Amino acid sequence: MGRLLALLAALVVGSWIAFTNEKLPESLPVSTPATEFAGERAFADVNFMGPVPHPIGSPANAAVRDAIVGRMLLLGLNPQVRPGVGVLQSKRARGSLIAAPVENIVGVLPGRDRNAPAIALMAHYDSVPGSPGAADDIIGVASALETIRAIKARGVPARDVMVVITDGEEAGLLGANAFFRRDPLSRRIGLVFNMEARGSAGRAQMFQTSPQNGGLIDLFQRTARKPSSSSLAVLVYEKMPNDTDLTETLKAGIAGLNYAIIGSQFDYHSPTATPENLDRGSLQDMGTQVLAAAGAAAFAPQLPARAPLLVYSNLFGDVLIAYPAWVGWVIIVAAALLLAFAVRRARLAGEFPAADILRGMGALAFGALGAAAVLEFARRLTGASFGYLEQRFLLAQSLRWEWAVMLIALGFLMISAEELAQKQRRWVALVPLAAGLACSAFGEFDMIGAVCGVLAAAIGIFAYGRETSRKGAWAGALLLGLIVTVLLQALAPGAAYVVAWPLLVGTLGAAATALGARRGMIAFSVLMALAAISLGWQGGLSHFAFEALDLVPIFALPMVTAGLVLWPLAQPEPGLTPARYVGIGLLVGGLALTLIVRSADPWSPRYPDISYIGYTVDQDIGKAWRFSPPETSSGWDEQALRGDGGQVATLTHWSWRKPMLAAPARVVTVPPPAIDLARTAAGGLALTAAAPPGARVLNLQLRASTVARITAVAGVADDLALPPGQWVRVRWMASKGPLALALQAAGPGRLDVRYVAAFDDWPRDVAALPQRPTDIMPWDDSDSTFVAGTRAYAW
């Protein structure tokens, strides 16, 4: 019973530690000393700048720009609006280009040495269409303004401190592109602190650094206040397709740190991203973290130097552990020595078969792979498809779903340990096999579920063929952890600590208790304390993984690391002891919670379902349609589609990327864009396209009949091939003037042009949209008008 009580205590205390460590700070009041960051002071800016959507080129975005300029004037930063043109070729869609006139805002707090490399506090002020962007990224703007106010209150810094607020980030990093590639002011900057958001709550994660980050991490380690960051996060982000403005900073060779909040992702790019829904504790945490590092850099005689990459992670409170990659091998050697010592002492106290070690390795591998299979099954069982829009059903009830994931993963780990204490338990191998294969019963073959389920079953047949001693099983689990750590250290040293640190804790517990054979209050207390501390730290990593990735099988890795410290408490005595049912109880509870998630109706005024309705008129054929993507169809969408009396059917049109639900609509008269192709004096071609009055975006598709290239966009040199017979997309934010493209062609030919001009409102001459229920919201550029047509030119 003592072992069971120690296990339960470890789970409860570990959960409490994880919760406490992830708890947000209180937003400090406006009466906070001027030298400190006050969330309530910053929130006044959020409240003023973030109540309505303000995409690039909109009047609302101009109003936010003017508000930022006004705040900078009050702070004495001598702000400048720096116009430019951002041009970026999309790396997600080959053969496409995005460009726009942008208006970046730069303010400067002068330092003692005006020639020293400046630091820059950076955020972007535009939002996506349809979202107020109070989090993404007015939280960054407000944090930057409050941070520089606090730095100014501390005295004259050693160097200039710049505030760079970019335009057009959501359209494609266009403001940062214009600033860091073509604005001479950028050459004065030596270090950038970028602030972003992918949700409206949660801890401020420092998730990206520039290469050779040793000096930066040293600064971060010395100054951070209850930090949340790790070299694993940096490593994972480098492999992802996501980008922020810091991408352009790093391309320019400027060092930087990237901060973001990623909790409550339901609000990411959503109409619900309002000041009211922004967690003020997250704003406080963001500002506290950035001010700590930026304030130190502002007054330092030198900026951090480039140095070899460090392995690092926050532990608890203000503690962040950082060390060179080679120290990971020292940890591995220490863990190996502790494990060898523990095994020797355990065998002296009583022999156990060497095969038990192999079965222990197998049982932990079975627990990890089996947990992955069962978790994948649970994800399928929710009924939610994969993708950001598709998973909003889960994001609307993320707390419930996260608990289900944690219970399932932990429950299966407990079962993998509990069943080792029994004889002939090979039947347990059927559980992950059935779950893994059942993943493919939801409409498509599930490779992750099938592979994990089959592998887990094969390992389970070996591991559970006979009763296995606790000492041998734990030794095997630790040995597997050691092998995994060695592989990670060799292949990805920045990620190896995730297993190495729990392994070191586990081998320390094994040595102290001779591999868990000792009984009594002291031994159980040692095991409980070590397990609780390790689980508390791992809980923070698991929570970060849950928020960052819709990939629940990844929780198999935390099960490996949890098993390293929990095994001696989780494996009970042989027989029908109460401890045998802990895992089953957790697993059943997690699956029951999954069924509740599946059956729930999560939509409410706080968490509304999405809807999308658009109006397209084809000026070539004189027809118009109301259209809606099939995945957003609801009763309201059906009613809106029938607003002009037409029948709804699935329709394709070249201006839509996929088939849409559409119904005929009344045709409205809108002036077409003015498009012209002419020869230049230098023998090239000049394509100009002016959108109709009131259009914010002009999308072009270009198809040349001969080899040709785009060589410049709005006067900015670029190089984009126009392969003969292939469509190339150009997206221009059109509200500030016409698009000018310079082209070079190999010889005579023809250019086909398709255009779509987008207006941010519903046409007035067609039936108005019905009022949406409070639990349904428009998404992105819904309720907009799109004017489509074609042109053809020859030269």
Side-chain angles (χ1 to χ4, degrees), residues 287-305:
T288 299
Q289 298 302 325
V290 174
L291 175 59
F299 290 91
Q302 300 291 332
L303 292 180

Side-chain angles (χ1 to χ4, degrees), residues 317-596:
D318 292 341
V319 178
L320 184 136
I321 297 176
Y323 51 78
W326 62 263
V327 174
W329 293 111
V330 176
I331 295 174
I332 289 173
V333 171
L337 292 175
L338 286 170
L339 177 57
F341 173 78
V343 170
R344 177 174 174 77
R345 289 197 61 186
R347 289 178 67 86
L348 289 174
E351 197 75 18
F352 60 86
D356 283 3
I357 296 179
L358 293 177
R359 290 190 177 88
M361 294 175 65
L364 183 58
F366 170 81
L369 290 168
V374 177
L375 286 167
E376 182 74 357
F377 170 75
R379 177 63 176 82
R380 294 285 185 178
L381 187 61
T382 63
S385 298
F386 293 87
Y388 178 63
L389 293 183
E390 291 79 2
Q391 68 161 330
R392 292 184 66 77
F393 173 78
L394 297 178
L395 295 177
Q397 43 186 334
S398 61
L399 180 61
R400 187 185 298 155
W401 173 229
E402 184 174 8
W403 269 105
V405 169
M406 296 296 184
L407 290 175
I408 291 169
L410 193 56
F412 197 87
L413 174 67
M414 295 293 102
I415 290 174
S416 67
E418 291 161 2
E419 295 304 315
L420 270 188
Q422 313 305 316
K423 297 179 180 179
Q424 292 292 334
R425 309 299 289 180
R426 285 193 173 105
W427 64 266
V428 77
L430 297 176
V431 176
L433 179 63
L437 295 179
C439 293
S440 300
F442 293 91
E444 60 183 359
F445 178 69
D446 190 307
M447 178 67 75
I448 294 176
V451 171
C452 290
V454 170
L455 289 177
I459 295 171
I461 290 173
F462 159 75
Y464 296 96
R466 62 180 293 275
E467 180 184 331
T468 304
S469 67
R470 183 185 300 112
K471 292 188 292 183
W474 193 17
L478 291 171
L479 182 57
L480 179 61
L482 183 65
I483 294 171
V484 171
T485 304
V486 169
L487 292 174
L488 285 174
Q489 180 67 25
L491 299 174
Y497 76 93
V498 175
V499 184
W501 294 4
L503 174 66
L504 189 61
V505 173
T507 53
L508 182 62
T513 63
L515 236 58
R518 291 181 183 172
R519 303 187 184 190
M521 182 176 296
I522 294 178
F524 287 153
S525 296
V526 169
L527 292 174
M528 185 276 291
L530 291 175
I533 292 170
S534 183
L535 290 174
W537 174 73
Q538 293 174 69
L541 292 179
S542 298
H543 180 63
F544 171 74
F546 178 85
E547 290 185 321
L549 300 168
D550 181 25
L551 187 63
V552 292
I554 203 171
F555 283 85
L557 178 60
M559 290 310 98
V560 172
T561 57
L564 301 178
V565 293
L566 277 179
W567 205 275
L569 300 178
Q571 183 172 338
E573 304 295 335
L576 298 176
T577 63
R580 279 197 60 197
Y581 304 105
V582 173
I584 294 175
L586 292 173
L587 180 60
V588 170
L591 291 173
L593 203 51
T594 301
L595 290 174
I596 293 174

Side-chain angles (χ1 to χ4, degrees), residues 39-51 64 67-68 70-72 74-75 134 138-139 141-147 149 275 278 283:
E40 294 306 299
R41 284 194 291 251
F43 186 75
D45 287 328
V46 175
N47 211 30
F48 183 63
M49 300 177 193
V64 174
I68 295 170
R71 287 287 288 116
M72 287 188 180
L74 291 175
L75 290 168
I138 296 301
I139 187 177
V141 174
S143 295
L145 294 173
E146 173 66 4
T147 296
R149 186 210 54 74
L278 176 66
L283 175 60

Side-chain angles (χ1 to χ4, degrees), residues 680-720:
T680 65
L685 298 168
L687 179 72
T688 58
R696 189 177 61 84
V697 180
L698 180 61
N699 292 304
L700 298 181
Q701 297 179 30
L702 309 177
R703 183 177 63 185
S705 64
T706 188
V707 175
R709 311 189 73 84
I710 296 174
T711 58
V713 181
V716 175
D718 200 66
D719 184 22
L720 180 63

